[in-house]
Amino acid sequence: QVQVVESGGGLVQAGGSLRLSCTAPGLTLADYTMGWFRQAPGKEREGVACITMSGSRTLYADSVKGRFVISRDNAKNTLYLQMDSLKPEDTAMYYCAASSRLLLFRLLTAHEIDYWGQGAQVTVDS
């Protein structure tokens, strides 16, 4: 059974930073387009950032452009999300996601994901 595991969530003051990590024992992340999604209470799950299998190209939701950076280290089988200048509206459960689809010109949708992590809570206090 494939497990995708996030770490690094927590509580931070507005303007602060957090870094999420994602790894998947038993799954070679380099074979997948990877992404981060988030879901706030009462809202739909939304794509935040995606990265190609090689890491050469990234896409971001408009709401996080210039503040979040997605990256990957395929040698360590790990995905990252650096989140800076956090705002209260960034508060959500953040999910690591793996997709066998190629990343083209838009963020992946939830329906295009093959594997999900269990989620990491990020809370930004104003």
Side-chain angles (χ1 to χ4, degrees):
Q1 185 175 354
V2 173
Q3 271 194 309
V4 179
V5 182
E6 301 96 337
S7 60
L11 173 65
V12 65
Q13 294 292 314
S17 298
L18 283 174
R19 189 175 83 154
L20 301 179
S21 299
C22 168
T23 189
L27 188 68
T28 302
L29 295 186
D31 293 339
Y32 295 87
T33 296
M34 298 298 297
W36 290 97
F37 287 70
R38 67 186 181 186
Q39 188 167 20
K43 294 189 176 181
E44 290 188 0
R45 192 170 296 191
E46 62 174 356
V48 173
C50 292
I51 188 167
T52 54
M53 295 175 188
S54 67
S56 61
R57 195 161 59 88
T58 57
L59 290 175
Y60 296 93
D62 288 343
S63 58
V64 306
K65 278 181 185 176
R67 299 188 299 120
F68 290 11
V69 176
I70 186 172
S71 62
R72 65 192 303 164
D73 185 335
N74 287 339
K76 295 183 178 179
N77 207 42
T78 303
L79 176 75
Y80 304 99
L81 184 68
Q82 177 67 40
M83 303 183 290
D84 297 323
S85 302
L86 282 161
K87 304 175 182 180
E89 51 263 44
D90 294 318
T91 295
M93 188 73 79
Y94 283 71
Y95 297 90
C96 176
S99 173
S100 55
R101 290 178 177 258
L102 294 177
L103 183 64
L104 298 176
F105 303 107
R106 59 165 177 80
L107 290 169
L108 295 173
T109 66
H111 300 291
E112 296 171 321
I113 301 303
D114 297 300
Y115 300 103
W116 290 101
Q118 84 288 352
Q121 179 66 38
V122 172
T123 303
V124 184
D125 189 357
S126 58

